[in-house]
Amino acid sequence: MSTGGELLQIEPVELQFPFELKKQISCSMQLTNKSDDYVAFKVKTTNPKKYCVRPNTGIVMPHSASDVTVTMQAQKEAPPDMQCKDKFLLQSVVTSPGATVKDITPEMFYKESGNYVEDCKLKVVYVPPQLPSPVREGSEEGSSPRASVSENGVGKTSEFNNISRAYNEQQDSSSETKALISKLTAEKVSVMQQNSKLQQELELLRKERNRSRGGIPTIYVLIIALLGILLGYLFQKT
């Protein structure tokens, strides 16, 4: 949108600043002279410490245009409701043909001197910075990103639970195996001790038989036979 008087056409009619804290922000406006005259201009603001205007004065030749850049100094805090009360005033006046910036004087813009001075008021608008829109990536089957994330999360959780369960079962099985091995080892040691004891008793019986030159009593034979059967059973078990 542009506004125009008899001397200069100004575009845009609002100075829009994408507001960001602690950052210098600039915007520009274009002044177009569609007349056959040389036009001098001057830019004023209600808050000169806050803004820097380059150039703040100049000459626009006939049927040409000139750009003006307005820079807002870095702000430490945002205004309430992002509303700005600052305003700019652009004054233009016809000057002599061939005039340059050096020929511009403050008196040229005095209406009291009978000069025709054209005024154009410009307001300042703060524009909130635009956030980048998130890129939505669906699956090849057309599922939504949210569903994909949810399904992946459930799948990973289930996989972790399965691994944890298998590990616990392995640990339990390992503990049971170790306990069984320990028990069988103890039983084997006990059997070996009993076998050694029986061997010693058998040796004593043989010595007694040799001394008495008689046969071994039937009761001892039965005992030895039973012990042999028991040892055979225990060894098969281990």
Side-chain angles (χ1 to χ4, degrees):
M1 182 183 295
S2 63
T3 183
E6 296 179 1
L7 302 179
L8 292 178
Q9 183 178 2
I10 304 170
E11 185 178 2
V13 295
E14 294 180 342
L15 297 178
Q16 297 185 355
F17 294 91
F19 189 87
E20 292 186 42
L21 291 176
K22 301 179 181 180
K23 182 179 180 181
Q24 279 192 349
I25 307 169
S26 300
C27 69
S28 62
M29 56 182 172
Q30 187 177 68
L31 312 180
T32 303
N33 180 7
K34 295 184 177 182
S35 69
D36 297 330
D37 300 316
Y38 280 71
V39 178
F41 69 88
K42 183 177 183 179
V43 182
K44 298 179 180 180
T45 178
T46 57
N47 197 343
K49 294 183 178 180
K50 185 176 178 180
Y51 300 95
C52 177
V53 183
R54 291 290 182 271
N56 59 347
T57 59
I59 299 290
V60 185
M61 293 185 293
H63 305 285
S64 63
S66 178
D67 291 330
V68 176
T69 301
V70 181
T71 301
M72 181 178 66
Q73 304 301 320
Q75 302 298 300
K76 296 182 180 180
E77 57 183 14
D81 300 327
M82 294 293 289
Q83 299 296 319
C84 182
K85 297 181 180 180
D86 301 331
K87 290 181 174 58
F88 283 79
L89 176 66
L90 190 145
Q91 295 180 307
S92 55
V93 62
V94 175
T95 187
S96 59
T100 64
V101 177
K102 295 181 179 179
D103 300 323
I104 299 176
T105 62
E107 291 77 11
M108 295 173 59
F109 301 94
Y110 289 167
K111 295 180 181 180
E112 294 80 1
S113 301
N115 298 326
Y116 174 74
V117 181
E118 192 172 83
D119 294 338
C120 181
K121 295 180 180 180
L122 306 171
K123 66 179 182 177
V124 176
V125 176
Y126 289 154
V127 180
Q130 294 183 355
L131 298 177
S133 58
V135 178
R136 301 185 63 183
E137 296 182 356
S139 65
E140 295 180 356
E141 296 179 357
S143 60
S144 65
R146 186 185 299 267
S148 299
V149 172
S150 176
E151 291 173 0
N152 290 338
V154 172
K156 291 182 178 180
T157 302
S158 178
E159 181 179 358
F160 175 80
N161 291 337
N162 292 336
I163 294 174
S164 178
R165 188 181 303 109
Y167 176 78
N168 292 334
E169 290 176 356
Q170 184 178 6
Q171 290 294 101
D172 294 339
S173 176
S174 177
S175 299
E176 293 176 358
T177 302
K178 290 180 180 180
L180 180 59
I181 292 174
S182 178
K183 181 179 179 181
L184 293 175
T185 302
E187 291 179 355
K188 183 176 181 180
V189 172
S190 177
V191 169
M192 292 177 65
Q193 291 177 350
Q194 292 180 4
N195 184 36
S196 177
K197 185 177 180 180
L198 289 173
Q199 291 290 343
Q200 293 175 2
E201 292 179 355
L202 181 59
E203 186 65 25
L204 290 175
L205 289 174
R206 289 176 179 175
K207 290 179 179 180
E208 290 179 1
R209 183 188 62 178
N210 292 334
R211 289 175 184 177
S212 62
R213 296 181 180 179
I216 300 174
T218 305
I219 186 66
Y220 289 107
V221 176
L222 293 175
I223 292 173
I224 293 172
L226 290 174
L227 289 174
I229 295 172
L230 176 61
L231 289 174
Y233 173 77
L234 291 175
F235 275 111
Q236 289 179 358
K237 183 178 180 182
T238 59

